[in-house]
Amino acid sequence: MSISHKKHTRQMLAGKSINFDDEDENGMTISHYSTLLITFQIFGTDIRRVLIDPSSSANKVQLRAIEEMELMGQAISKLHLLYRFNSSSEMTRCEVTLTTNVEEVVNGTHFHVVAGDMTYNSIQGRPWIHKMDAVPSTLHQVFKFPSK
């Protein structure tokens, strides 16, 4: 099986397909208009309130979270200006690549470290979603992997 797109074709494992159905809702009673939030691990520490945001072009993590995990020693001082959908911007403090673990999928994930207040501890954008080879569904409040 393959998934075709104008730019390229991605080959999937033979016989594998990704389907979202009522079973994925698993008795969910929350609104389907909610954001897709998960918990994942960075170096064995659970990070809660992680937003999966396919519209974000960068992975961001709060400076406070990196400091609490005592991982600032791994950060590289590098400033970036990130633009939001409303044309406002924010300056990042540094960059860091950390090992993340979600559903037994372990990856080195590149983060832009943000000092300002965010509603979430981390925002995982398209770079992470694509690296994970995941397909998010806000309707079902899950994401799936073609390899599972």
Side-chain angles (χ1 to χ4, degrees):
M1 169 178 234
S2 65
I3 297 174
S4 295
H5 189 273
K6 289 180 182 177
K7 292 182 182 177
H8 59 81
T9 300
R10 173 182 280 167
Q11 295 297 322
M12 294 177 60
L13 296 176
K16 295 283 184 177
S17 63
I18 297 176
N19 298 306
F20 294 95
D21 54 32
D22 293 340
E23 188 176 303
D24 291 310
E25 291 182 25
N26 198 18
M28 204 171 57
T29 58
I30 61 176
S31 166
H32 290 291
Y33 300 110
S34 298
T35 56
L36 179 54
L37 295 177
I38 65 167
T39 297
F40 68 28
Q41 287 189 350
I42 295 178
F43 289 112
T45 301
D46 284 343
I47 305 296
R48 298 184 199 306
R49 297 197 49 79
V50 175
L51 173 68
I52 305 301
D53 184 6
S55 67
S56 178
S57 62
N59 302 318
K60 298 189 288 187
V61 66
Q62 287 225 23
L63 175 64
R64 175 183 42 79
I66 299 298
E67 289 174 339
E68 287 177 10
M69 291 186 293
E70 300 179 356
L71 296 174
M72 282 303 294
Q74 297 185 30
I76 299 168
S77 183
K78 195 170 186 181
L79 302 178
H80 281 282
L81 193 59
L82 297 178
Y83 292 96
R84 296 185 178 130
F85 70 93
N86 63 356
S87 297
S88 66
S89 60
E90 67 182 321
M91 186 65 71
T92 65
R93 291 282 184 98
C94 53
E95 296 178 351
V96 64
T97 300
L98 302 171
T99 303
T100 59
N101 181 348
V102 178
E103 296 290 322
E104 305 304 320
V105 178
V106 179
N107 272 319
T109 303
H110 182 80
F111 291 96
H112 294 278
V113 180
V114 179
D117 286 334
M118 289 191 324
T119 305
Y120 309 102
N121 291 316
S122 178
I123 296 175
Q124 299 307 111
R126 285 187 311 275
W128 181 81
I129 294 167
H130 292 178
K131 189 171 187 178
M132 295 291 289
D133 208 17
V135 178
S137 171
T138 54
L139 177 65
H140 297 94
Q141 292 291 292
V142 298
F143 64 97
K144 291 189 173 185
F145 303 96
S147 58
K148 289 204 171 212

